[in-house]
Amino acid sequence: MGLSELARFGFADLSSTTAKLDQLVKLVGDSGRSALADLAVCADPDQALNALLFLAESNSAKVKAILKKSDSSRRLCLLLGASSALGDFLKRRPECLNYFDKAIAALPTQALATEFFRSRVVPLLVSGFNSPDVWSALRIAYRESLLQIAIYDLSMVDVKAGLPSVAASLADIAGAALEVAIEIARVELSSNADHGVFTAEEIQSTEFAVIAMGKCGARELNYISDVDVIYVAGSKSAELANERAVEIATKLATRMMRAIDATAAEPMLWQVDPNLRPEGKSGALVRTLESHLAYYERWAQSWEFQALLKARPLAGSSELGEAYVNALAPKVWSSASRENFVESVQKMRERVTDYIPASEVDAQIKLGPGGLRDVEFTVQLLQLVHGRTDPTVRHRDTISAINALATAGYVGRSEAAAFAESYRFLRLLEHRIQLS
């Protein structure tokens, strides 16, 4: 095949592509040639070919079987061309190539992902277990779910229409990972009772809830994104004081976060970010519900109520998580009546924009003018203003909120449709950039 033809297929490294294709054919036979059509529709044909060749060199029989079937060949090539990170995961875990054999029929939910993660982790939680091994097992299981989501996503015909379900599933598997990470933390803490500081009964009596904020709270999570959270603690026993429960829950929170991002054989997943909590980094990591309420009653700024629009129970005690959201909801929806509320929200948005380097303003799809944050800030401001008296606009996710605002007549239908379309397009760009 001539260089000009390879260039038309999308390859950039023309000098070595022919040799690589020949080597692929040697390893997997004629199915290597037929894969060229699938490589040509990849986001990055060179990246896909390099990864495919690596996989074929270590597992030629499995790669040959995948490439023999047009559907599975297309799925594998699309994935390898779109994501170097997931390609690296397949190199570490070649058994996961089995996921390309059949189309992914449905996206993983939080309940199903939690059950799957537990099946990999719980057998390792035996006496004297090694925490890094358990963390790795959790992270591998998470990435298997992530791989399924990416295959499903890249195989869709109408990717913008399917984007909300993909983002929701990404949030769901993040929630499942934190749910199982809490279980790991409880076993770790109970196994040594933190060197005698806590009793097993005290740990068992401690309620701990993780509240999702931001994109995870709205089930709009990206492929690569910090998971913003707030922690709440309480006591289930009259014998356990709330102060003691907070101390134990703080240990659970730090151990939970280590399961996600501490050093282990399998790389970290993402950053668990608790800095939206009261007083930010300078505030207590964990508080009781009463302490949270006291803070928002007396000290919270307008932007903090705006952030709570997305708050959702994510992991740990569902009862405590629901109590947190329900108790704070009236404060959120009355916050727009605060003096200079609109002006303070607008100034917060302006401060974010001011930090963007001038050379990047026009290219910033997230923070720049007309970008994702502009859409989200505008929608949230309208929600807070009208949501005081109209419960129909009280939605966590942006698209549902836009539709509700249009239905209620607060935004013109044509403007809302254009707003939603632009938002989906920008989110799709963000997903594809992060997936790479």
Side-chain angles (χ1 to χ4, degrees):
M1 182 176 294
L3 296 183
S4 60
E5 190 172 358
L6 287 175
R8 285 198 298 272
F9 275 111
F11 291 98
D13 184 15
L14 301 180
S15 60
S16 61
T17 296
T18 299
K20 291 175 183 177
L21 288 170
D22 288 342
Q23 179 62 19
L24 182 62
V25 171
K26 287 181 182 179
L27 291 167
V28 300
D30 287 340
S31 55
R33 289 193 181 88
S34 62
L36 186 59
D38 296 323
L39 290 169
V41 298
C42 290
D44 187 336
D46 294 283
Q47 174 180 290
L49 177 58
N50 289 335
L52 191 60
L53 190 56
F54 182 98
L55 293 169
E57 287 171 345
S58 59
N59 198 340
S60 60
K62 181 59 183 177
V63 172
K64 181 177 182 178
I66 291 174
L67 296 182
K68 272 188 173 182
K69 297 189 294 183
S70 59
D71 288 348
S72 59
S73 175
R74 178 64 60 94
R75 287 190 287 270
L76 178 58
C77 291
L78 285 174
L79 185 285
L80 295 177
S83 177
S84 60
L86 287 174
D88 290 341
F89 175 66
L90 288 170
K91 294 172 186 177
R92 296 194 303 273
R93 313 297 303 188
E95 67 273 15
C96 291
L97 285 167
N98 291 329
Y99 285 112
F100 296 92
D101 291 341
K102 297 179 181 179
I104 304 299
L107 291 167
T109 63
Q110 181 160 340
L112 290 175
T114 301
E115 182 179 353
F116 176 56
F117 297 170
R118 281 179 179 147
S119 72
R120 298 296 185 83
V121 168
V122 171
L124 301 179
L125 296 177
V126 295
S127 178
F129 69 89
N130 182 286
S131 288
D133 289 345
V134 175
W135 301 341
S136 287
L138 172 60
R139 296 174 195 181
I140 290 167
Y142 171 89
R143 287 197 167 96
E144 287 185 58
S145 295
L146 184 66
L147 180 65
Q148 294 176 69
I149 292 172
I151 294 170
Y152 181 96
D153 183 8
L154 293 166
S155 301
M156 285 191 297
V157 175
D158 189 347
V159 290
K160 280 192 289 185
L163 180 63
S165 61
V166 168
S169 190
L170 290 169
D172 286 350
I173 66 169
L178 291 178
E179 187 70 61
V180 177
I182 293 172
E183 296 176 17
I184 295 171
R186 283 192 181 275
V187 176
E188 285 178 339
L189 203 57
S190 299
S191 65
N192 56 26
D194 207 39
H195 305 291
V197 176
F198 308 119
T199 67
E201 291 75 16
E202 286 179 316
I203 296 169
Q204 184 64 32
S205 296
T206 298
E207 275 195 300
F208 176 57
V210 179
I211 308 299
M213 304 288 283
K215 281 185 165 57
C216 191
R219 298 181 78 223
E220 297 174 323
L221 201 62
N222 300 330
Y223 278 100
I224 300 175
S225 180
D226 291 351
V227 174
D228 296 315
V229 298
I230 285 177
Y231 301 129
V232 194
S235 171
K236 296 187 286 186
S237 168
E239 286 74 36
L240 180 66
N242 275 335
E243 293 78 7
R244 185 74 163 168
V246 167
E247 190 178 353
I248 294 170
T250 301
K251 293 286 187 180
L252 291 174
T254 54
R255 287 174 179 269
M256 179 201 76
M257 289 188 286
R258 286 173 60 197
I260 300 298
D261 62 19
T263 301
E266 182 69 17
M268 67 173 284
L269 297 182
W270 17 260
Q271 194 74 39
V272 183
D273 188 348
N275 291 330
L276 287 176
R277 66 186 185 270
E279 300 178 274
K281 293 181 180 179
S282 61
L285 182 64
V286 181
R287 293 174 181 252
T288 62
L289 175 55
E290 293 74 21
S291 177
H292 278 285
L293 289 171
Y295 173 83
Y296 285 106
E297 184 69 39
R298 299 179 60 188
W299 307 110
Q301 299 179 46
S302 295
W303 71 265
E304 293 179 273
F305 292 105
Q306 181 182 357
L308 286 169
L309 271 173
K310 309 287 189 183
R312 175 175 65 92
L314 182 66
S317 170
S318 57
E319 294 83 2
L320 183 56
E322 291 290 350
Y324 174 92
V325 171
N326 292 336
L328 285 169
K331 300 183 185 302
V332 172
W333 297 113
S334 63
S335 62
S337 60
R338 292 158 60 103
E339 186 176 0
N340 298 321
F341 173 82
V342 173
E343 291 80 1
S344 67
V345 172
Q346 290 173 333
K347 287 179 180 178
M348 174 61 71
R349 171 58 186 146
E350 290 168 3
R351 282 196 290 273
V352 172
T353 306
D354 289 342
Y355 282 105
I356 306 173
S359 60
E360 297 179 11
V361 169
D362 293 336
Q364 266 277 4
I365 64 172
K366 179 179 179 182
L367 301 177
L372 288 164
R373 285 296 178 271
D374 262 358
V375 176
E376 291 164 352
F377 264 71
T378 302
V379 171
Q380 290 165 21
L381 183 56
L382 288 170
Q383 283 183 277
L384 289 168
V385 169
H386 297 294
R388 288 177 297 174
T389 56
D390 188 349
T392 67
V393 303
R394 299 176 184 178
H395 293 270
R396 291 187 179 101
D397 70 283
T398 304
I399 295 297
S400 295
I402 291 172
N403 293 336
L405 288 165
T407 299
Y410 304 121
V411 178
R413 289 190 177 275
S414 60
E415 289 82 0
F419 225 31
E421 178 67 15
S422 297
Y423 183 75
R424 289 191 187 96
F425 175 71
L426 291 173
R427 286 301 308 277
L428 179 61
L429 287 182
E430 187 180 46
H431 271 235
R432 290 297 180 264
I433 291 169
Q434 292 187 353
L435 187 57
S436 64

